[in-house]
Amino acid sequence: MLEDEFEWHRKQGVKPIINVSGTMTGLGASIAAPGVAKATAEAMANFVSIHQAQEKASEVIARLTGAEAGFLTASASAGITLSIAACITGLDPARVEELPINIGEKNEVIVQSGHLCGYGAPVAQAVALSGARVRSVGQSTLCMDHQITGAIGRTTAAALFVVSHHVVHYGQCPLKRFVTLCHKAEIPIIVDAASEHDLRGFLKAEADLVVYSGHKFLGGPTSGIVAGRRDLVRAAYLQNIGIGRGMKIGKESIFGTIAALEAWETRDHAAIRTKEAKALGSWTHALSNIPGVTTTRVADPTGNPIDRLQVDINSEEVGISAATVARLLGERDPAIIVRTHGLDLGYFQLDPCNLLPGQAERVATALREVLSSAETSAAKPGDTEIARNGSTRAYLDWGKS
Ligand SMILES: *Cc1c(COP(=O)(O)O)cnc(C)c1O
């Protein structure tokens, strides 16, 4: 029997989902923060000057980030592309219209090799959409100062610094040092902080532009936030007459994101942490005393104030692999979608940030059911491979029939 929280799913004829994965594009990102749905709906019924709407967004972004100015675009990925374009064209509309073909002499963007991750698409491609080329610096697990300074030259337009659990977490040049080295050569630094809670720290560390997603932890509509130096923010905004057109944001998402930023200011973060800790506790309890299953509370790798529960599966002892457990949970109704990075290493994680009331308990019950009665027959060959390739597979399979 489905409960009321899934009434919308029944009406739309779509499968109910309990999200213990995180803010994933493929799951609809996040649950809207208080006031967001109303602000979005109210905007739909009215005309407004988009420039004035973006001025209002700029004020709120500046207040929360400490930036000189900011604006909104379609996504963080779009924000990266537009920020790099800004460093190439400045405020010259003729040059804006030439991108991405005639980009000019300054056509390279410096990125540490260990930062060249994917977040559903390659970050290098978000750079390339502007017309610029990525100049990868160092090796994947080590980036030394001389490699950065040696890569900077006449053709360098900007440097990109990526903050993410997806990047390599050791051997990388930290932001402060990266800023020092790049600023010595007057190269602007763009920080991709799409999934970070810290709205002030990157600009405080003297990054020139920082990019956030509006639809991740902020709980806004799908959007990207660009904040930082006024001249660069204006140049990034100007890209709306060029490559930014296909990345545009509408009035509804502008006012929805403003509402999400305002809700962030007044959110009771401590109460949310307490609720999340309770969920982790109930899952730890549910999984205790199951032979071959080990749970560990792990901190977020980039320092967001989130703990997740890591569930290690000894497949010999349990009879099935972590990948099979993840699949079985996903096949239930409602589907329980776990955090799957690490399946190849024999674990999955449970993220408590996107739960509705009562769902933590349902996840605990489902975990116990799947794991205490694990049937080896449930294992399908290749579950781990399918999990690794699954995100692309789903796009390929879509629309087949
Ligand atoms: C999610 C994410 C992005 C992309 O954000 P969108 O707003 O969905 O385009 C970019 N970079 C990082 C590090 C991310 O986590």
Side-chain angles (χ1 to χ4, degrees):
M1 250 292 277
L2 298 180
E3 284 161 19
D4 263 0
E5 75 208 83
F6 297 122
E7 194 185 319
W8 177 84
H9 294 82
R10 283 197 300 277
K11 195 171 104 191
Q12 297 295 338
V14 293
K15 191 172 180 184
I17 289 173
I18 295 178
N19 177 6
V20 277
S21 176
T23 50
M24 302 294 166
T25 289
L27 298 179
S30 56
I31 299 279
V36 169
K38 185 160 174 273
T40 307
E42 282 175 357
M44 285 302 286
N46 293 287
F47 287 113
V48 62
S49 154
I50 285 294
H51 303 301
Q52 193 183 11
Q54 290 273 22
E55 287 281 356
K56 285 185 72 76
S58 183
E59 278 169 30
V60 179
I61 294 167
R63 191 168 76 233
L64 268 85
T65 63
E68 290 172 5
F71 77 101
L72 300 172
T73 181
S75 63
S77 202
I80 295 167
T81 306
L82 301 183
S83 296
I84 284 163
C87 298
I88 293 165
T89 66
L91 276 165
D92 181 344
R95 296 199 61 201
V96 168
E97 288 182 1
E98 296 270 4
L99 297 189
I101 306 296
N102 295 320
I103 143 161
E105 188 184 47
K106 283 187 189 293
N107 55 21
E108 280 188 349
V109 175
I110 288 186
V111 192
Q112 301 184 64
S113 297
H115 283 196
L116 287 171
C117 64
Y119 42 72
V123 69
Q125 206 170 20
V127 174
L129 277 172
S130 69
R133 273 184 304 148
V134 164
R135 167 108 181 220
S136 80
V137 181
Q139 292 78 46
S140 62
T141 54
L142 183 62
C143 186
M144 292 181 272
D145 289 4
H146 74 266
Q147 295 171 321
I148 296 169
T149 49
I152 295 173
R154 223 172 17 88
T155 55
T156 313
L160 176 68
F161 189 98
V162 182
V163 186
S164 172
H165 64 272
H166 293 299
V167 306
V168 176
H169 283 287
Y170 60 96
Q172 307 303 307
C173 180
L175 180 60
K176 273 222 162 107
R177 184 71 187 149
F178 194 70
V179 166
T180 304
L181 296 174
C182 293
H183 276 178
K184 207 179 266 176
E186 293 180 15
I187 305 299
I189 291 116
I190 298 152
V191 175
D192 170 7
S195 205
E196 299 311 297
H197 287 224
D198 182 356
L199 294 179
R200 303 189 88 91
F202 307 107
L203 291 174
K204 221 171 175 181
E206 291 183 34
D208 299 273
L209 288 174
V210 61
V211 178
Y212 295 96
S213 288
H215 48 276
K216 293 187 177 171
F217 59 90
L218 284 168
T222 304
S223 56
I225 300 164
V226 178
R229 255 171 57 187
R230 183 175 294 279
D231 60 330
L232 288 175
V233 167
R234 290 180 62 213
Y237 186 64
L238 187 62
Q239 308 301 322
N240 280 304
I241 65 163
I243 58 170
R245 176 65 187 207
M247 309 174 191
K248 80 176 176 189
I249 187 167
K251 61 190 175 186
E252 66 284 3
S253 296
I254 295 176
F255 285 95
T257 306
I258 290 172
L261 285 163
E262 286 170 343
W264 184 253
E265 285 182 296
T266 56
R267 193 179 288 199
D268 186 348
H269 294 273
I272 291 169
R273 292 292 91 76
T274 306
K275 203 181 79 195
E276 290 170 359
K278 225 176 122 202
L280 297 186
S282 80
W283 299 333
T284 305
H285 180 72
L287 293 174
S288 59
N289 307 319
I290 300 180
V293 178
T294 322
T295 57
T296 325
R297 203 169 147 153
V298 293
D300 180 78
T302 63
N304 286 322
I306 306 167
D307 283 353
R308 302 187 177 91
L309 195 72
Q310 181 162 321
V311 183
D312 277 85
I313 308 287
N314 179 336
S315 57
E316 304 270 294
E317 234 178 306
V318 178
I320 52 177
S321 67
T324 300
V325 176
R327 176 172 59 75
L328 292 174
L329 288 165
E331 284 171 1
R332 290 172 73 101
D333 188 0
I336 295 173
I337 311 294
V338 301
R339 197 171 178 84
T340 53
H341 332 100
L343 285 182
D344 55 331
L345 300 176
Y347 69 82
F348 58 83
Q349 291 185 344
L350 302 170
D351 182 304
C353 301
N354 295 280
L355 293 166
L356 295 175
Q359 292 187 339
E361 294 73 16
R362 293 174 73 158
V363 171
T365 307
L367 285 167
R368 256 207 96 75
E369 283 173 9
V370 168
L371 279 163
S372 56
S373 64
E375 307 225 356
T376 359
S377 60
K380 275 193 205 152
D383 264 343
T384 305
E385 288 309 302
I386 289 164
R388 192 165 57 82
N389 296 295
S391 56
T392 297
R393 188 81 253 157
Y395 280 94
L396 278 170
D397 287 346
W398 182 84
K400 263 185 177 168
S401 55

